[in-house]
Amino acid sequence: MQAMVYEGPYRVSVGKKPDPVILHPNDAIVRVTRTAICGSDLHLLHGLVTDTRVGCTFGHEFAGVVEEVGRSVRNLKPGDRVVVPFNISCGSCFYCKRGLFANCESSNPNSDLASGVYGYSHTTGGFEGGQAQYVRVPFADVGPMKIPDDMEEEDVLFLSDILPTGYQGAEMGNIQPGDTVVVFGCGPVGIFAQKSAWLMGAGRVIAVDHVPYRLEFARKYSQVETLNFKEEEDIITTLKEMTDGRGPDVCIDAVGMEAEGETLNNLLGVKLKLQAGSPTAINWSINAVRKGGTVSIIGVYGPPFNLIPIGTAMNKGLTMRMNQCNTKRYMGHLLEHIRAGRIDAKGIITHRFPLAEVSKAYDIFSGKKDGCIKCVLLPHGHA
């Protein structure tokens, strides 16, 4: 089969790999019809995530058609169309029973950091990803969700990650009716966090970024107020001035480890890699949010540490919540939001490429070129 191949920092290509096979009775093989490039893939591309190995295939957002199932699989059969959550979960361990699918202890037993994840660092299990023509899906009775007959793959593709992640970010904010919510980041996850904040009763949603076309997209798609932090003398002061001097009720970090805006953190975390990425969005969230407010972190960070003002958070009495998304928990609920028209998930797609052009797709998405919000790859056909 053809698959994306990681060749080292900033280099990807398409190569030939063996077709995946059933390795366990609970496996399924899925022919990938749509897959996407995620901002988290860029952290891998840029060499910021430990144990990302040359030769691996990225991709944890994908949908497709079941080709083959193991003898123990009961819920799927060949021909079923499915969308697959990015985290691999067993459904029966201590964490899965509590709905913490992102913390499954069976899919990645050699690490205490996270569950198994498709197409990510070997710290998440070393599973091959979905930016390929075919992919092996473990625990096939647990993760995949069948796509309704009246919906297309692109209607539900982002139930695999970024829509539930944005939604969980808003949910962890414990948004109360009328709250002011600030979302740092106008990438796909930030945009869905903004939409979700409205669904949860926010009275005001402010989006912060520095890329003009992304801010414009957020204004139109999410109907939010926007701030370009590069045009503000001090973004914290500006946010407090906009919120009666106290600060917003909730801040959501939807940026993660490659945040710009603080020279020292960018130097230490992104350039020199002396800390696990740049925690600028966390720092701004802690400093901007009102006393007694909530900080929700859905941006991706790696171990082991970051320069974070935890003393400020403690003295302000903040609630801080964070996790990888427990995707499976939200898929059915968010499907209904899509069906009802409250969320146009595929409306964020700006670019489509055949898999053969994956290097070009990564260049455009990573470089924030051509007004790109979200790239979708077609492994078996032309865009």
Side-chain angles (χ1 to χ4, degrees), residues 206-235:
I206 303 168
V208 179
D209 204 296
H210 70 102
V211 181
Y213 81 79
R214 300 207 320 179
L215 289 162
E216 178 62 21
F217 189 93
R219 277 192 292 272
K220 293 179 178 179
Y221 183 88
S222 304
Q223 294 84 50
V224 294
E225 300 171 62
T226 58
L227 284 175
N228 185 330
F229 65 78
K230 289 195 173 180
E231 296 177 355
E232 303 297 327
E233 184 175 348
D234 183 277
I235 190 65

Side-chain angles (χ1 to χ4, degrees), residues 114-189:
S115 70
V117 176
Y118 295 100
Y120 217 67
S121 155
H122 272 62
T123 59
T124 58
F127 295 91
E128 286 287 89
Q131 290 171 12
Q133 292 181 316
Y134 298 91
V135 65
R136 180 177 74 94
V137 175
F139 301 108
D141 275 336
V142 178
M145 185 183 76
K146 293 180 184 179
I147 300 173
D149 291 340
D150 62 335
M151 303 182 81
E152 300 297 326
E153 282 90 342
E154 287 186 358
D155 293 325
V156 299
L157 174 60
F158 301 133
L159 291 177
S160 60
D161 176 7
I162 54 174
L163 177 50
T165 297
Y167 188 87
Q168 179 175 295
E171 182 185 73
M172 291 192 301
N174 192 29
I175 297 168
Q176 302 300 306
D179 274 357
T180 296
V181 179
V182 169
V183 179
F184 290 99
C186 290
V189 170

Side-chain angles (χ1 to χ4, degrees), residues 49-342:
V49 182
T50 58
D51 207 10
T52 301
R53 302 185 186 182
V54 169
C56 67
T57 293
F58 296 171
H60 55 266
E61 300 176 349
F62 59 91
V65 180
V66 175
E67 290 282 299
E68 182 183 358
V69 297
R71 65 178 183 274
S72 297
V73 176
R74 298 289 179 265
N75 296 336
L76 299 178
K77 64 182 185 302
D80 286 341
R81 296 185 306 142
V82 293
V83 57
V84 182
F86 77 89
N87 30 32
I88 302 168
S89 48
C90 71
S92 58
C93 72
F94 176 91
Y95 296 104
C96 286
K97 286 180 179 178
R98 289 159 174 78
L100 298 172
F101 299 103
N103 307 112
C104 175
E105 59 189 352
S106 299
S107 60
N108 188 24
N110 292 326
S111 174
D112 196 39
L113 289 175
S115 70
V117 176
Y118 295 100
Y120 217 67
S121 155
H122 272 62
T123 59
T124 58
F127 295 91
E128 286 287 89
Q131 290 171 12
Q133 292 181 316
Y134 298 91
V135 65
R136 180 177 74 94
V137 175
F139 301 108
D141 275 336
V142 178
M145 185 183 76
K146 293 180 184 179
I147 300 173
D149 291 340
D150 62 335
M151 303 182 81
E152 300 297 326
E153 282 90 342
E154 287 186 358
D155 293 325
V156 299
L157 174 60
F158 301 133
L159 291 177
S160 60
D161 176 7
I162 54 174
L163 177 50
T165 297
Y167 188 87
Q168 179 175 295
E171 182 185 73
M172 291 192 301
N174 192 29
I175 297 168
Q176 302 300 306
D179 274 357
T180 296
V181 179
V182 169
V183 179
F184 290 99
C186 290
V189 170
I191 287 167
F192 283 138
Q194 296 156 22
K195 292 286 283 189
S196 299
W198 289 125
L199 291 174
M200 293 179 187
R204 189 179 184 190
V205 181
I206 303 168
V208 179
D209 204 296
H210 70 102
V211 181
Y213 81 79
R214 300 207 320 179
L215 289 162
E216 178 62 21
F217 189 93
R219 277 192 292 272
K220 293 179 178 179
Y221 183 88
S222 304
Q223 294 84 50
V224 294
E225 300 171 62
T226 58
L227 284 175
N228 185 330
F229 65 78
K230 289 195 173 180
E231 296 177 355
E232 303 297 327
E233 184 175 348
D234 183 277
I235 190 65
I236 307 303
T237 299
T238 299
L239 288 170
K240 288 184 178 293
E241 289 174 348
M242 294 174 67
T243 52
D244 300 321
R246 296 188 183 89
D249 302 289
V250 178
C251 283
I252 300 173
D253 167 10
V255 181
M257 66 175 70
E258 294 188 69
E260 297 190 35
E262 289 183 350
T263 302
L264 178 61
N265 272 315
N266 190 262
L267 173 65
L268 294 177
V270 179
K271 305 297 184 184
L272 300 179
K273 300 179 176 62
L274 296 178
Q275 61 172 332
S278 169
T280 298
I282 300 178
N283 294 348
W284 285 357
S285 295
I286 289 172
N287 288 313
V289 75
R290 66 166 172 81
K291 289 182 285 188
T294 300
V295 172
S296 172
I297 303 171
I298 49 176
V300 173
Y301 295 88
F305 71 93
N306 295 90
L307 298 175
I308 294 172
I310 196 66
T312 301
M314 182 272 175
N315 283 288
K316 290 178 73 174
L318 303 185
T319 296
M320 298 183 68
R321 298 189 65 192
M322 63 208 81
N323 199 5
Q324 291 282 358
C325 183
N326 300 299
T327 314
K328 183 67 176 177
R329 181 196 296 177
Y330 302 106
M331 294 174 79
H333 177 66
L334 291 171
L335 175 67
E336 294 308 312
H337 278 307
I338 294 171
R339 189 181 290 281
R342 289 184 287 270

Side-chain angles (χ1 to χ4, degrees), residues 4 10-14 37 45 354-365 377:
M4 171 271 188
Y10 294 89
R11 301 196 317 276
V12 300
S13 64
V14 171
I37 301 175
L45 178 72
L355 182 63
E357 296 181 16
V358 68
S359 180
K360 177 181 178 181
Y362 266 92
D363 178 64
I364 289 174
F365 187 52
L377 302 172

